[in-house]
Amino acid sequence: MDKRQQLIHSAFELFYRNGIHAVGINQILQTAGVAKKTLYHHFASKEELIAAVVEYRDEKFYSWLASRLELVKPGYDGLNELFDAVDDWINNRVDLLSDFHGCFFINTCAEFNDPQQPIYQQCQHHKKKINSLIERQIRALGILEPATHHVTDSISLLKEGAIVMAHVQGDLTAANKAKDMAWIVLAAYLS
């Protein structure tokens, strides 16, 4: 791992566990084992490092979830896999994603809550990409416009709600509950 990646990885682990504003540059430097000069060689500011961390997590999370969904047939199997993947993640069965501390993008938006901020917009972009994965599953079921967007939003809300319930209330069965509710939502469109 090169020094830039080492900084990004170390910053991500600290930000995800403790919150972005709670972590100082010196803590990142100590964890990464690099000098301040190295940090500022790669990043002009802490905000630039944060943007790189958000991009890093976006790529890692999106690739992981997309690869999980590619293993199964789109549609019913894909939606089941979506919630099974979330269940694996919240129950710390996905080494690639680090221990579960809620959704990094939701947590980041709570700290950077101005929708005009670039970091907020990066998080928003991530959620849109994840929604596109869900929409592919909905389209494979044969659900047509305009219902496709409504059903995609409904499934996304259930997924996001499961993540929040697991993080905030410690409900480690939330993804399975959300999966059950998803089939109730889908039944209205598939009958």
Side-chain angles (χ1 to χ4, degrees), residues 73-76 78 134-143 148 190:
K73 184 178 176 187
Y76 293 105
I134 295 170
E135 186 173 335
R136 282 185 220 151
Q137 307 310 312
I138 302 305
R139 289 186 186 283
L141 293 172
I143 296 174
T148 303
L190 296 173

Side-chain angles (χ1 to χ4, degrees), residues 90-111:
I90 65 178
N91 285 286
N92 293 321
R93 294 188 294 260
V94 183
D95 293 335
L96 176 73
L97 296 181
S98 304
D99 286 344
F100 178 76
H101 297 285
C103 174
F104 180 71
F105 303 96
I106 293 172
N107 298 347
T108 299
C109 281
E111 294 193 60

